[in-house]
Amino acid sequence: MRTVYVCLNCACFYLPPESMTYPRLDYQASPVHCSLPECRSAVEGAVARVGVPEDVMARWARRAAGIDGEPRRPRPGRRARGRRPASAAGGRSKLL
């Protein structure tokens, strides 16, 4: 079974050749961006800043798009660290 990839810039699904080389163009396919030049330049910069290998980023993108299983969602009821608890007054103050 072949792997379907997701472009990190335009979020399109694409299916490169199994050899990951486009024969007529002599161009190496990437697992993180499609063949559009603007996607290539944007994603290459983002991958360099993150510092994670392209195959790991491609796996994350497929998971987020729902191709490789269910996308991960935050558990309900968990507060972000450092947030204040909800006030008992319902958000009203003396100024209102």
Side-chain angles (χ1 to χ4, degrees):
M1 188 162 135
R2 293 187 51 194
T3 304
V4 175
Y5 294 100
V6 179
C7 179
L8 294 178
N9 190 42
C10 64
C12 72
F13 298 119
Y14 64 98
L15 185 66
E18 289 183 33
S19 64
M20 294 299 281
T21 303
Y22 294 105
R24 279 195 246 161
L25 304 174
D26 194 33
Y27 174 74
Q28 188 70 22
S30 173
V32 290
H33 62 78
C34 61
S35 60
L36 295 175
E38 56 270 10
C39 291
R40 181 179 186 181
S41 61
V43 172
E44 283 178 350
V47 169
R49 282 190 300 273
V50 172
V52 177
E54 286 187 351
D55 58 337
V56 175
M57 295 271 294
R59 204 173 326 130
W60 292 346
R62 286 193 308 269
R63 180 73 181 242
I67 296 173
D68 286 348
E70 287 293 315
R72 290 187 177 183
R73 306 232 188 256
R75 285 186 253 157
R78 290 189 65 187
R79 290 186 307 131
R81 179 180 264 171
R83 290 237 174 134
R84 290 180 159 188
S87 66
R92 297 188 62 109
S93 69
K94 292 181 181 180
L95 298 175
L96 293 178

